[in-house]
Each structure stands twice: as structure tokens, then as C-alpha cells.
């Protein structure tokens, strides 16, 4: 079993920055950030594996940077140039599959989420 906990959400004005953190109880092969707004499906934001370059959803490319500290089992999401459309509940997810998924169904372990609100 892997426990996952996010932190770092908050409220910011458009153009601002936030940094999210995700602490996992142990190292996993796949970790990712997803986000969800009420009434919409959960969508992927950024994905990282232990040995592959991080990948990003088109909506956040060039603005968000994901990184992982394997010594601390912690995943980070640096979010710059935030826009109101980035407002969502952000979730961290983890899994130990050999091939990391881009869909939420591909992740077994989830945090409770941290709210990010961007005002115009």
C-alpha cells in the first residue's frame, strides 16, 4: 500500500505561480498530477517515471514543470503563468505498473487533492 498526500495549493491571481508537492510513502515507478473541476472529467497534467523524461498535457506545456526527488519519494509541480482555466482540484497519483498510463484509470494510489484557485 502507498499513501499519497498533496500540499501547496492556494489562491493566486492570474500570472502568478504556485508549487505543489506530493509525498508518497514509498517509491513508485509512475507518478502523475491530475486535475478536476466540478462537472468535468479528471484530466492529466503531468507524468513522470523513474527513468523517462517528464511529459505534459498540451494545456500546461511551457508553464508547468514537474520534478521528482526519489530520495524523498516526493513529486513536485511548479506552476507558472497561471490562468483562471487552471483553477481545479489537483490530485497526485502513483502506481507501480511497468508502463505508466496517461489516464486516471491507470493509477491505483491517489491523494485527497489540493485546491488551486486562480482569479482574473
Amino acid at each position: 500500500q502507498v499513501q499519497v498526500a498533496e500540499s501547496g495549493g492556494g489562491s493566486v491571481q492570474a500570472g502568478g505561480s504556485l508549487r505543489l508537492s506530493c509525498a508518497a510513502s514509498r517509491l513508485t515507478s509512475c507518478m502523475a498530477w491530475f486535475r478536476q473541476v466540478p462537472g468535468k472529467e479528471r484530466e492529466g497534467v503531468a507524468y513522470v517515471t523513474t527513468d523517462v523524461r517528464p511529459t505534459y498535457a498540451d494545456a500546461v506545456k511551457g508553464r508547468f514543470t514537474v520534478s521528482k526527488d526519489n530520495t524523498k519519494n516526493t513529486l513536485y509541480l511548479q506552476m507558472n503563468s497561471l490562468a483562471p482555466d487552471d483553477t481545479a482540484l489537483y490530485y497526485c497519483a502513483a502506481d507501480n505498473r511497468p508502463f505508466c498510463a496517461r489516464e486516471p484509470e491507470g493509477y491505483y494510489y491517489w491523494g485527497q487533492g489540493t485546491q488551486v484557485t486562480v482569479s482574473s
Side-chain angles (χ1 to χ4, degrees):
Q1 191 76 331
V2 179
Q3 282 75 46
V4 177
E6 307 94 339
S7 61
S11 296
V12 65
Q13 289 191 329
S17 299
L18 283 173
R19 189 190 193 208
L20 305 183
S21 298
C22 169
S25 59
R26 60 181 178 88
L27 192 65
T28 58
S29 58
C30 306
M31 293 189 77
W33 289 99
F34 290 82
R35 65 186 183 186
Q36 188 170 23
V37 297
K40 292 189 176 182
E41 293 185 352
R42 194 167 296 187
E43 65 173 1
V45 175
Y47 316 86
V48 64
T49 63
T50 54
D51 56 0
V52 177
R53 179 179 295 181
T55 56
Y56 301 90
D58 289 343
V60 306
K61 279 182 181 177
R63 300 187 299 122
F64 291 11
T65 303
V66 64
S67 60
K68 188 179 179 187
D69 186 340
N70 286 331
T71 65
K72 298 180 179 179
N73 298 339
T74 301
L75 185 71
Y76 303 97
L77 185 67
Q78 178 66 42
M79 305 185 295
N80 298 328
S81 302
L82 283 162
D85 284 349
D86 295 316
T87 295
L89 188 60
Y90 282 70
Y91 294 93
C92 179
D95 201 277
N96 276 316
R97 300 176 189 228
F99 299 101
C100 299
R102 300 257 185 130
E103 302 76 22
E105 295 76 14
Y107 292 83
Y108 188 79
Y109 305 105
W110 290 85
Q112 294 298 309
T114 184
Q115 179 67 37
V116 171
T117 303
V118 184
S119 58
S120 57

